[in-house]
Amino acid sequence: MAQTEKKGGLLRKSSASKKPLKEKVVLMYDEIFMTEDPSKRNPRFWEELFLMKVNLEYLEGKLEALDGEELMKIKDNINCLFQHCIQALGEEHPIRVVNALQVPC
């Protein structure tokens, strides 16, 4: 029987014939690290992001892997992430507040 293993944002099946699946929150983090604003394709992007459990290991790894040039390309998205974190802290929904607090600043 195939077991599911969670490591670094990947949900892996032990079967070699299946491609590893990524958590939805990891897919959303990947969108932040692209040059296009992720909320253009999904207007509820930020609301959905803060309802999901933070994958701190993956997010910190992505941030640490950036060099200066790459960081400048996605500066607007990173600023947006932190702006929405601050906004989420003022919300009444406790899950959003807790998840916003866990994003590394």
Side-chain angles (χ1 to χ4, degrees):
M1 175 175 258
Q3 291 183 347
T4 303
E5 177 186 334
K6 183 177 174 182
K7 183 177 180 183
L10 294 178
L11 298 174
R12 265 191 256 172
K13 298 273 186 192
S14 59
S15 170
S17 64
K18 300 229 178 186
K19 185 177 177 181
L21 299 175
K22 287 187 176 183
E23 295 176 77
K24 183 173 180 181
V25 72
V26 168
L27 294 172
M28 292 181 84
Y29 292 157
D30 287 344
E31 288 184 53
I32 294 169
F33 288 90
M34 297 189 181
T35 55
E36 185 178 314
D37 177 1
S39 63
K40 283 184 179 177
R41 284 179 280 163
N42 178 2
R44 296 187 41 86
F45 180 86
W46 299 107
E47 291 103 21
E48 290 176 14
L49 180 67
F50 292 109
L51 285 174
M52 289 185 251
K53 185 177 178 191
V54 174
N55 185 325
L56 197 54
E57 177 186 350
Y58 187 82
L59 187 55
E60 284 179 341
K62 290 288 280 189
L63 286 168
E64 289 172 0
L66 295 174
D67 65 23
E69 187 176 313
E70 293 169 326
L71 185 59
M72 291 308 293
K73 287 180 183 175
I74 62 163
K75 177 181 75 165
D76 291 339
N77 287 355
I78 299 296
N79 287 340
C80 235
L81 170 63
F82 294 121
Q83 175 187 356
H84 283 90
C85 278
I86 292 167
Q87 287 175 348
L89 293 175
E91 293 189 19
E92 292 183 23
H93 199 294
I95 292 174
R96 285 189 175 142
V97 173
V98 169
N99 290 337
L101 282 169
Q102 292 181 41
V103 173
C105 295

